[in-house]
Amino acid sequence: MSLLIADSPHVSPSSEKKMPSLIQSTCAYCGVGCGVDIVVADGKATSLTGSADHPANYGKLCVKGSNLLNTIDLTNRLLAPEIDGKKVSWQQATNYVAEKFSDIIKEHGKDAVAFYVSGQLLTEDYYLANKLMKGYIGSGNIDTNSRLCMSSAVSAYKRAFGEDVVPCTYQDLEQTDLLLLIGSNAAWTHPVLYQRIERAKKINPLMKVVVLDPRKTATCELADNFIQLKPGSDGAFFNGLLNYLSENGGLDADYIAKNTEGFTETLAQATTWSVAKVAEYCHVSEQELTLVYQLFCQSKKAITFYSMGINQSSSGVDKCQSIINCHLASGKMAKTGCGPFSITGQPNAMGGREVGGLANQLAAHMDIDNPAHQDKVQRFWQSPTIATKQGAKAIDMFDKIASGEIKAVWIMATNPMVSLPDRDKIAAALKKCQLVVVSDCVDENDTLAFADVKLPATPWLEKNGTVTNSERRISRQRNAVLPAGQAKHDWQIIRDVAQAMGFSGFDFADVSDVFKEHAQLTHFENNGERLLDLSGLSQLTAQEYHELTPIQWPVNEQYPQGCDRVYADGQFNTASGKAQFIAVSPQLPKQRTSEQFPFVLNSGRIRDQWHTMTRTGKTSKLVAHTDKPYLYLHPSDAKTLAVVDDDMLNITASTGHAIAHVKLDDKQRAGECFMPIHWNKSFASHANVSALYQSIVDPISGQAECKQGAVALTKKSYSQYLSLHTVSDVELEVSADFWLKNTTAYGDAYQAAFDEPIVDAMLWCQQATGLSGEWLQFNQDSQSYIVCLQAGKLVALAYFSQQWPVLDVSWLEHVLSEETLEFATIQSLLLGIASNEFNQGKQVCSCFNIGEKTIVNAIAQGCTSVDKLGEQLQCGTKCGSCKPELASMISLHKASEPLAVNELGAG
Ligand SMILES: Nc1nc2c(c(=O)[nH]1)N[C@H]1C(S)=C(S)[C@@H](COP(=O)(O)OP(=O)(O)OC[C@H]3O[C@@H](n4cnc5c(=O)[nH]c(N)nc54)[C@H](O)[C@@H]3O)O[C@H]1N2
Ligand SMILES: Nc1nc2c(c(=O)[nH]1)N[C@H]1C(S)=C(S)[C@@H](COP(=O)(O)OP(=O)(O)OC[C@H]3O[C@@H](n4cnc5c(=O)[nH]c(N)nc54)[C@H](O)[C@@H]3O)O[C@H]1N2
Ligand code: SF4
Ligand SMILES: [Mo]
C-alpha cells in the first residue's frame, strides 16, 4: 500500500487508480479531532479506522467516527449550483452572487450584507470568508454557529487571560487528581476523550471525577460524585467554591500575588456564598457540596472541563469566569493536570477562533475595535478597507435581516433554521431577505428551503485543509476522493466570488497558500503580543503542508515542534501581563417557568446523531440507538399529565410548538424535561426544539440561552396511528397531521398520525407510496394491516391502529430483505405477530447490532461486568460508545430474571 496525499499539486487521487492507498485525515465530527486512516481503492474509500499515531485518539474512534463511510453516498447531495431552483453553471452562480452583493453594498452600504458561517468549515475556508468580509467588503458582519457553541468561553478566556487561549491539553485530563465535568455529557459528545478519562481512572484509582448536571447522564457512570443542580445555578456553585477555598486554606497566595489582579474584589463578592446559601440556591445538599469543595481544596491537581451546560446561558461568560477564578485562586493553573478547560464542540471551532471568524474579532487573535490592530491587519492584507467595529452577532444578524437592515446573507456549513432559537423568527427573517445564498453539501434542509442561490460545497472526504481541535492541535483533513459532480471546496467558492467582485487579494491556486498566509498573519508584527503564532508553519512548501503532522500551537522559533504547555511562566496576554479575576454575581436563566409554561426545557445531544442529521441521519446504523425525538419526562410529571411511554405530548412555548413521544426518565428532576436538538423538517413534522427557545443572549458574548426554556405540556391524541415501511419515498407533509421518518437498512420507515381516521386505508397507501403490486389487507377491530408484494417480495407494509403499532425492527429488516415471502410469513405480517426470535429490543451496541433484550438476558445469566458482556456478545468491544449504557444496564438488571418478549418495547 502506498501513502497517497490526495489533492496535492503533485499527486491526484484519480491518477493513482490501481494500488490501494492510505490517506490520513481527521474525523468530520467533534472537537476531539480524532485522526482517521482511510483506505482508498479505485478512487473510492473502502475502509476507515482510527489513526494509531494521532495524539487525540491513538487509534480509537467513537460510533459516529466509525460510521463515517456509511454517510458518504451521493443521495441528497447538492451537485450543481442553482439560482431560484434552476441549475446554472458555476460562472453564472459566482457572477450572480458577486453582482448582487456588490449592488446591495453600493446602494445600501457595506453593513447591508452578512456571512453566517460555521465551525465545520476548515481553517482555510474560514480565513478567506473572514478576509473577504472584514478586509474587502469592510464590515464586521461575519458571524458563525460557534456563537451558539463556545462564544462565552472565548469571551471569558479573553477577559481573564488577555487572549482566547485554552490552557489545557488532553494529557492533563489523564494526569489530574480531580476532574470536574460541568454541563458536559462527554460520554456521548466527546466519547474518545471520555474513554481516555475512563482508562486514566482505571490506571489511577485515586483519580476522582465529579459531574454537575441537572440530568444524570451516561457520563455519570464515571462519576464518584454527581451534583444534580438546579438548571442555570452553576455560577453560585463556583462562587461558593472560591469562598470555601479562602476559608479552608485552599488559596495559593503566592500565585495570586505574582500572576493575577482583582482578587480582593472578587473574593469579597464570593464571601456571601456560604455552603448553606449555595446549597439552597442550587437545590443540592450541603453534605454533597462540602464533599466536592473539600476534594477540590485538597487535590493537588484539578481540571474543570466545561461545555454547553455552562456556555449556552444568558450569563455564560460570568459562569466561565467563576470557574477560571477558582483555578487562579488555587494556583491550579497552567501546569500538569490543572486548569479551566473549555471543550470545543465542532471539528474546527478552534480554527474559526484563530482566523477571527466571530463578528467581534478581527483576525489572528487581533481585536476588531483596536485601531493599531486594524492598521496591522489592513497593511498585511494590503486591503482596500478594514472593518473598524464589531459586526452583528448571530442573533442580532437575523434580527437585522428581519428588519431589512441586512439585505443579503451568505450562509455556509450551518443550518440556522434548525439551530438558532426562535425558529419562526428566523423563518420570517429569511423569507424577507432580498438574497439568501447557501453553500451546503446536501440538496435539501430547513435552511436551503429559503435559498435563492444554492452553492454545492465538497463535504468531508472530498475536502482538504486543516482543522484545530480542543487542545489547540492543528491536523490535516485530507481529501480521499475527488469532488463529486460540480462541488467545489468552500475556500474556492469564496475566492471565486471575491475575484468576481473585483478584489485582488484572493489569488490562491492551492489550499496550502491560504494556510501559509494565515500562518504569516499570526506572526506579522506579533512581537510576543499574542500566543497564537504559527510562524513555524508560515514557510511550508505545498508538499510540506500536505504532509503536515498534528501539531499544537504556538509553533514558532521558541517552540518549533509546537507547544503543549502555555502560561507556565505566569505571564498572560493582558496589558499588565497578569491574569484577571473578575467578581461574578450569579444569575439564573432569563427564560422562567410560569403558570402558563410550568416546565423547564433542557436540550442537547444524543449519542449517535450529529446536529441537524444531514449526515448521521443517513445511516440506519446511527438511527437505531434513538429512533425518535423523544421528550424525556420525569415519571411523577407523567403521572400528573396522565401519559405513559410513547404517548404523545404537545409542547408549547411562547415562541412555538412541537409534538413528541414521551420517554419516562427519572434521571432528571421533576418539573424538568429534555429534548434532543437533532430532528428537523427533513425527519419529523413537529420536532424542532429550537422553536421552543426565546432568543435571549449573554450581554457580553451574545451566546443564546439554549438550555433552559419554559414550556407547557399537554397530552396529544390522534384518532389513528400508522407505522409504514416501504422501499419507496413517501411525502407525508400534507397527508398526515404528524409524521416521523427514519433511515433503515431496508428503506425508509415512517410513523404518522391522523386527527381524522383514514377512510380507505388501502387507497391511502397506494397513493402515498405510488407502488403497484399485489395489495393485501386484513382488518381486525379498528386495525388495518396492509402489505404490498411485487413478485412475492414485500415492498410496503402498513399498520393502522388506534395506538402506535409496535413492530420489531429486526423482524422488519428480515421480512423486507427476503426475496420472496412464504405464505406463513405473509399471514403473520397480516396478523401483526412477529416471531420471538426477532425481538431484541432497542439497539444498544450500534457496532455489533446488539439489542436491549439480549443484553439484559446475558446480565441475568451472570455477565455482570462490561468486559464480560463484551466477551459474550461483543457489545462495547469496538468503538466503546455504548459502554456507559452497558454499565448502567448492569446496575439496573443485575439481580433480575431474563426478560420475556413482551416486557420490552420493540424500540
Ligand atoms: N453525539 C454527538 N456529539 C457531539 C455533537 C452532536 O451533535 N452529537 N455536537 C458537538 C458539539 S458542536 C458540541 S457543542 C458538543 C456539546 O457537548 P455537550 O455540552 O456535552 O452536550 P449537550 O448535550 O449539548 O449538553 C451537555 C449537558 O449540559 C447539561 N445542562 C443543561 N443545563 C445545565 C445547567 O444549567 N448546568 C449544568 N451544569 N449542566 C446543564 C445537559 O443536561 C447536558 O447533559 O458536542 C459535540 N459532540
Ligand atoms: N436548543 C439548542 N440549540 C442549539 C444547541 C443546543 O444544545 N440546544 N447547540 C448549538 C450548537 S453548540 C451548535 S454547534 C449548533 C449546530 O447547528 P448547525 O451548525 O446548524 O448544524 P449542522 O447540522 O452541523 O449544520 C451544518 C450544515 O452544513 C452542511 N455541511 C457539512 N459539511 C459542510 C462543508 O464542508 N461545507 C459546507 N458548505 N456545508 C457543509 C451540512 O449538510 C448542514 O446542512 O446548534 C446550536 N443550537
Ligand atoms: S470522538 Fe468520535 S466524533 Fe469526535 S472526533 Fe473522535 S471519532 Fe469523531
Ligand atoms: Mo457546538
Side-chain angles (χ1 to χ4, degrees):
M1 202 176 284
S2 67
L3 184 84
L4 172 68
I5 312 287
D7 205 34
S8 82
H10 315 285
V11 199
S12 96
S14 61
S15 67
E16 191 91 6
K17 279 237 155 126
K18 300 287 172 281
M19 258 212 305
S21 322
L22 185 73
I23 308 282
Q24 286 206 310
S25 187
T26 316
C27 174
Y29 298 117
C30 84
V32 178
C34 297
V36 292
D37 288 354
I38 307 165
V39 176
V40 179
D42 287 339
K44 288 204 176 75
T46 54
S47 73
L48 174 143
T49 47
S51 307
D53 55 353
H54 196 291
N57 58 317
Y58 297 107
K60 278 272 184 196
L61 290 179
C62 79
V63 64
K64 293 187 302 300
S66 332
N67 274 292
L68 274 163
L69 295 187
N70 293 323
T71 61
I72 54 159
D73 66 31
L74 293 187
T75 52
N76 311 336
R77 272 291 296 278
L78 181 65
L79 294 173
E82 288 177 23
I83 299 176
D84 295 332
K86 289 192 197 70
K87 285 199 173 72
V88 294
S89 69
W90 264 115
Q91 198 183 2
Q92 283 170 304
T94 306
N95 288 342
Y96 185 85
V97 174
E99 267 166 37
K100 288 274 175 185
F101 264 78
S102 302
D103 289 350
I104 289 172
I105 293 165
K106 210 167 178 186
E107 197 175 336
H108 303 282
K110 59 196 180 187
D111 292 326
V113 298
F115 296 166
Y116 185 56
V117 305
S118 162
Q120 290 167 82
L121 290 176
L122 304 183
T123 300
E124 294 78 0
D125 307 328
Y126 234 134
Y127 176 81
L128 284 197
N130 191 56
K131 182 177 182 182
L132 173 56
M133 184 51 83
K134 293 188 182 142
Y136 288 78
I137 293 173
S139 166
N141 280 346
I142 171 169
D143 211 44
T144 144
N145 62 1
S146 295
R147 182 69 59 197
L148 306 169
C149 187
M150 33 71 304
S151 58
S152 287
V154 172
S155 296
Y157 277 146
K158 173 86 180 144
R159 209 170 57 165
F161 304 155
E163 188 175 347
D164 169 27
V165 177
V166 177
C168 307
T169 69
Y170 296 165
Q171 270 193 356
D172 288 325
L173 294 170
E174 296 167 321
Q175 293 171 345
T176 192
D177 300 331
L178 171 67
L179 176 62
L180 302 177
L181 293 159
I182 317 291
S184 151
N185 185 11
W188 284 8
T189 54
H190 298 97
V192 166
L193 266 192
Y194 181 83
Q195 288 177 30
R196 284 180 65 165
I197 298 164
E198 192 183 19
R199 188 169 163 272
K201 203 162 182 273
K202 264 193 191 154
I203 294 169
N204 172 16
L206 293 178
M207 175 180 169
K208 295 277 183 245
V209 174
V210 175
V211 174
L212 252 80
D213 196 307
R215 287 189 312 144
K216 191 170 186 196
T217 60
T219 301
C220 296
E221 279 309 320
L222 210 57
D224 298 283
N225 302 77
F226 167 52
I227 304 247
Q228 187 159 27
L229 82 179
K230 178 179 165 171
S233 65
D234 305 75
F237 174 91
F238 285 99
N239 265 9
L241 174 57
L242 185 61
N243 186 33
Y244 185 93
L245 292 171
S246 148
E247 288 181 348
N248 294 277
L251 297 179
D252 184 336
D254 194 38
Y255 193 88
I256 297 171
K258 271 198 195 133
N259 305 317
T260 72
E261 283 172 346
F263 178 67
T264 315
E265 303 83 317
T266 302
L267 182 64
Q269 173 80 321
T271 44
T272 59
W273 290 92
S274 64
V275 171
K277 184 172 162 186
V278 177
E280 194 191 339
Y281 189 91
C282 298
H283 290 189
V284 296
S285 78
E286 289 185 38
Q287 291 87 322
E288 289 176 277
L289 273 180
T290 310
L291 212 69
V292 173
Y293 285 177
Q294 256 171 5
L295 272 176
F296 193 96
C297 194
Q298 289 165 6
S299 300
K300 277 215 167 65
K301 297 181 273 180
I303 293 218
T304 309
F305 178 99
Y306 49 103
S307 190
M308 295 310 123
I310 290 290
N311 297 347
Q312 288 173 344
S313 155
S314 50
S315 55
V317 181
D318 276 350
K319 282 178 183 164
C320 296
Q321 179 76 46
S322 71
I323 293 172
I324 295 171
N325 286 344
C326 292
H327 283 272
L328 291 174
S330 59
K332 295 183 172 84
M333 257 308 291
K335 55 188 183 201
T336 305
C338 289
F341 194 166
S342 147
I343 182 82
T344 53
Q346 298 176 88
N348 198 33
M350 189 70 82
R353 287 149 76 165
E354 290 159 16
V355 303
L358 290 155
N360 50 327
Q361 306 172 325
L362 187 52
H365 283 191
M366 282 180 271
D367 301 333
I368 197 161
D369 39 19
N370 176 331
H373 289 178
Q374 294 158 8
D375 172 60
K376 223 180 260 194
V377 176
Q378 187 174 7
R379 274 189 292 113
F380 176 83
W381 278 340
Q382 297 180 6
S383 62
T385 173
I386 193 78
T388 53
K389 61 178 178 28
Q390 294 194 10
K393 296 175 185 149
I395 304 287
D396 289 344
M397 183 183 282
F398 282 82
D399 283 346
K400 286 186 173 178
I401 295 172
S403 73
E405 202 176 317
I406 292 175
K407 297 178 190 315
V409 65
W410 186 354
I411 297 166
M412 306 176 204
T414 176
N415 193 355
M417 273 296 293
V418 187
S419 49
L420 276 170
D422 200 348
R423 179 185 173 99
D424 288 353
K425 199 171 82 173
I426 306 303
L430 288 175
K431 203 165 165 193
K432 172 151 185 196
C433 193
Q434 228 175 343
L435 177 70
V436 178
V437 180
V438 180
S439 299
D440 206 298
C441 320
V442 295
D443 62 358
E444 217 183 83
N445 69 19
D446 292 21
T447 303
L448 280 159
F450 292 85
D452 302 297
V453 182
K454 299 183 189 176
L455 302 176
T458 48
W460 178 86
L461 201 72
E462 295 168 22
K463 269 177 103 76
N464 185 28
T466 54
V467 289
T468 313
N469 74 3
S470 294
E471 56 165 3
R472 294 178 278 106
R473 192 182 297 280
I474 299 171
S475 291
R476 289 277 286 108
Q477 208 179 86
R478 296 186 178 92
N479 64 318
V481 299
L482 290 171
Q486 296 177 48
K488 278 207 297 203
H489 304 314
D490 285 291
W491 70 267
Q492 293 173 327
I493 304 175
I494 300 159
R495 171 198 66 188
D496 295 350
V497 168
Q499 287 180 333
M501 288 174 84
F503 298 133
S504 59
F506 294 84
D507 192 14
F508 299 98
D510 187 64
V511 66
S512 61
D513 299 330
V514 185
F515 180 82
K516 257 193 313 200
E517 187 180 297
H518 157 60
Q520 282 160 11
L521 178 54
T522 63
H523 185 61
F524 184 64
E525 297 177 10
N526 184 324
N527 306 320
E529 213 180 88
R530 293 161 275 129
L531 274 182
L532 174 66
D533 178 0
L534 306 179
S535 48
L537 304 174
S538 63
Q539 302 304 328
L540 296 180
T541 63
Q543 188 62 32
E544 283 164 346
Y545 171 80
H546 287 290
E547 288 168 2
L548 184 69
T549 51
I551 189 160
Q552 261 169 318
W553 61 257
V555 189
N556 51 20
E557 218 169 55
Q558 193 182 357
Y559 305 108
Q561 302 308 317
C563 171
D564 58 350
R565 177 70 56 227
V566 290
Y567 295 140
D569 58 359
Q571 276 298 302
F572 292 86
N573 301 89
T574 51
S576 61
K578 291 181 192 272
Q580 302 295 303
F581 278 101
I582 289 161
V584 167
S585 143
Q587 306 288 321
L588 285 170
K590 295 265 165 48
Q591 292 169 84
R592 296 279 167 93
T593 53
S594 60
E595 219 169 283
Q596 196 184 359
F597 301 112
F599 289 91
V600 177
L601 177 72
N602 186 357
S603 66
R605 284 133 182 96
I606 59 165
R607 197 190 73 187
D608 294 1
Q609 288 300 336
W610 176 261
H611 295 173
T612 71
M613 299 169 70
T614 58
R615 291 172 281 175
T616 45
K618 281 175 96 171
T619 169
S620 60
K621 286 269 197 185
L622 296 176
V623 169
H625 177 262
T626 305
D627 64 344
K628 293 186 198 75
Y630 291 105
L631 184 92
Y632 294 80
L633 187 68
H634 194 275
S636 66
D637 295 325
K639 206 165 158 196
T640 317
L641 293 164
V643 290
V644 296
D645 265 333
D646 268 333
D647 276 351
M648 308 297 291
L649 278 175
N650 260 319
I651 312 160
T652 316
S654 62
T655 48
H657 169 232
I659 303 172
H661 289 72
V662 173
K663 178 82 115 191
L664 296 190
D665 179 14
D666 60 3
K667 294 186 173 126
Q668 55 194 342
R669 295 149 25 111
E672 293 166 15
C673 51
F674 176 87
M675 195 166 164
I677 60 170
H678 309 287
W679 275 264
N680 55 74
K681 280 279 182 189
S682 302
F683 297 90
S685 58
H686 291 86
N688 188 195
V689 79
S690 65
L692 304 168
Y693 286 91
Q694 296 173 36
S695 46
I696 295 177
V697 301
D698 180 288
I700 301 166
S701 69
Q703 179 151 3
E705 186 177 81
C706 288
K707 285 281 184 267
Q708 298 100 14
V711 293
L713 303 174
T714 50
K715 186 169 177 171
K716 168 80 185 156
S717 299
Y718 293 94
S719 57
Q720 199 173 38
Y721 300 85
L722 163 69
S723 180
L724 173 67
H725 307 264
T726 163
V727 294
S728 75
D729 225 4
V730 178
E731 189 53 71
L732 290 175
E733 190 66 48
V734 188
S735 54
D737 298 300
F738 169 91
W739 60 268
L740 275 176
K741 174 180 164 179
N742 270 339
T743 307
T744 67
Y746 49 83
D748 286 328
Y750 301 86
Q751 293 204 344
F754 307 89
D755 287 327
E756 298 293 328
I758 300 295
V759 183
D760 187 337
M762 166 108 69
L763 182 67
W764 186 94
C765 286
Q766 288 168 337
Q767 285 172 346
T769 62
L771 292 170
S772 53
E774 189 185 356
W775 285 88
L776 303 170
Q777 177 169 4
F778 176 74
N779 294 331
Q780 190 177 39
D781 305 327
S782 51
Q783 314 190 113
S784 296
Y785 294 168
I786 295 170
V787 299
C788 177
L789 301 159
Q790 287 178 346
K793 179 167 173 52
L794 183 66
V795 289
L797 172 69
Y799 282 19
F800 288 88
S801 171
Q802 281 179 320
Q803 287 101 38
W804 282 116
V806 177
L807 288 154
D808 186 78
V809 175
S810 48
W811 183 49
L812 290 170
E813 273 176 13
H814 172 74
V815 288
L816 279 144
S817 66
E818 291 284 282
E819 272 317 305
T820 53
L821 288 187
E822 288 173 12
F823 181 67
T825 312
I826 298 171
Q827 247 182 343
S828 63
L829 280 174
L830 286 172
L831 290 170
I833 306 165
S835 74
N836 274 355
E837 65 186 288
F838 290 107
N839 192 347
Q840 270 210 58
K842 175 185 113 87
Q843 191 184 89
V844 177
C845 171
S846 307
C847 297
F848 295 106
N849 211 356
I850 316 285
E852 191 179 10
K853 187 179 152 229
T854 315
I855 295 165
V856 173
N857 284 341
I859 295 169
Q861 280 154 12
C863 284
T864 49
S865 74
V866 172
D867 289 344
K868 280 189 190 160
L869 278 175
E871 279 164 31
Q872 177 140 344
L873 303 173
Q874 282 188 298
C875 52
T877 57
K878 195 173 167 209
C879 81
S881 292
C882 64
K883 279 160 71 179
E885 223 165 329
L886 295 175
S888 103
M889 288 174 77
I890 290 168
S891 350
L892 195 68
H893 296 287
K894 225 186 304 200
S896 67
E897 293 294 310
L899 287 185
V901 173
N902 302 340
E903 284 182 68
L904 283 170

